[in-house]
Amino acid sequence: MLETIWFVLWGVLWAVYFMLDGFDFGVGTLMPFLAKDENERRVLYNAQGPFWDGNEVWLITAGGVTFAAFPTTYAVMFSSLYSALMLILFALILRGVTFEFRGKAEGTAWRGLWDACHFIGSAAPALLFGVAFANIFAGIPIDADGVYQGTLLTLLNPYGLLGGAFFLVMFMYHGALWLTVKTSGDLERRARTAASGLWVALLLLAVAFLVYTWFATNLYANYLAHPLLWLIPALAVAGLVLSRLSIGSPWKAWGLSCLTVVACTLFGVAGLFPNMLPSSIDPAASLTAFNSSSSPLTLKIMLGVALVMVPVVIVYQAWVYKHFSHKITDDQHLAY
């Protein structure tokens, strides 16, 4: 029972992380296409500025839960996906540095350099997270000793790349809707136009990913066995459709996009259960929530800590979002 509870928490933490940092990735990726001058680029930085580091707390929490609750999965995952995860880590570091270094000098070349780093540090994690999770859904080549029998290129298979493209466009759509919340005037209109175009691309990619998932993974087995689980993809579809219909109401559209991101993540997690790292070469070598978890006492103590600390983090972040909920309309709000 404790293993199941922690598996659900593990999936929810990843979903919340993608919901919150996803729009940051989207804004950074859209910057070269939406911002026309220095003032607009600063607006886009400030649309992320008060939130991005708090959002990444959920990444640390999800990684920490994997380490503490499922140490065997953590060990095999970080050795098997070492190169991909290091690329994500370097990209996230590069992205974080841009917020601090870009404003240290006035030169066009200096700021252009950090703008390029910000784009790479935003687009690369969005793409690579999709590649990583798609490969986990399909199974990775690990043997009975937990040794990865592949290379970095093994992960760049057609299903993995489709997952990467799906995550990237989903986050770009999410980010465009966030910019309709935080900006005004021509920039807001451009963000709304971008969101409308990205919605079509996201819809096509979502259909392609769902169809390919049927043939490339066993995710649908849980859905066929437990029909109530179909509510999860139904919520994803409802969020996607309603966010497009509500695109003239920024907060409502962004909230519905949050629902889409969360439901899309949980679609994969629910289909994966109880597997956490399925093996593509030997199903008996798969790591599950039951054969890779910590002791019951450890899970029980951690559950008590989580029930106290997670609400504190939620309240703090809700306060931050409320405090910085205003539109960025003048130089007074440009801290970056």
Side-chain angles (χ1 to χ4, degrees), residues 25 28-32 45 87-88 90-95 98 112-128 168:
F25 294 149
T29 305
L30 287 168
M31 181 179 290
Y45 275 101
L87 287 173
I88 291 174
F90 287 142
L92 291 175
I93 292 172
L94 186 67
R95 185 172 179 280
T98 62
L113 170 66
W114 291 110
D115 289 342
C117 291
H118 192 72
F119 170 75
I120 294 169
S122 299
L127 180 71
L128 291 173
L168 178 62

Side-chain angles (χ1 to χ4, degrees), residues 135-201:
N135 275 281
I136 291 173
F137 295 158
I140 59 175
I142 52 174
D143 61 22
D145 295 323
V147 177
Y148 180 64
Q149 301 295 329
T151 65
L152 178 61
L153 295 178
T154 305
L155 303 175
L156 302 179
N157 53 74
Y159 183 67
L161 291 173
L162 179 60
F166 174 59
F167 266 52
L168 178 62
V169 173
M170 180 170 66
F171 291 156
M172 290 173 70
Y173 175 67
H174 199 38
L177 291 178
W178 177 248
L179 289 177
T180 66
V181 171
K182 293 295 292 178
T183 63
S184 58
D186 288 341
L187 188 52
E188 181 185 359
R189 282 190 285 276
R190 264 178 264 141
R192 186 175 295 117
T193 301
S196 299
L198 287 165
W199 184 87
V200 177

Side-chain angles (χ1 to χ4, degrees), residues 252-318:
K252 184 178 179 182
W254 183 73
L256 289 163
S257 179
C258 288
L259 173 64
T260 302
V261 175
V262 169
C264 284
T265 308
L266 294 182
F267 161 75
V269 172
L272 201 59
F273 183 81
N275 288 315
M276 300 192 75
L277 275 183
S279 171
S280 61
I281 57 178
D282 181 8
S286 298
L287 295 176
T288 72
F290 300 103
N291 68 12
S292 70
S293 65
S294 295
S295 69
L297 179 60
T298 301
L299 296 180
K300 192 179 296 183
I301 292 173
M302 285 175 50
L303 186 60
V305 173
L307 289 175
V308 173
M309 296 308 298
V310 171
V312 173
V313 175
I314 292 173
V315 169
Y316 168 71
Q317 280 215 293

Side-chain angles (χ1 to χ4, degrees), residues 210 223 227-242 259-260 263-264 267:
L210 288 172
Y223 288 87
L228 273 178
L229 289 177
W230 287 104
L231 285 174
I232 297 174
L235 285 173
V237 173
L240 184 60
V241 173
L242 292 175
L259 173 64
T260 302
C264 284
F267 161 75

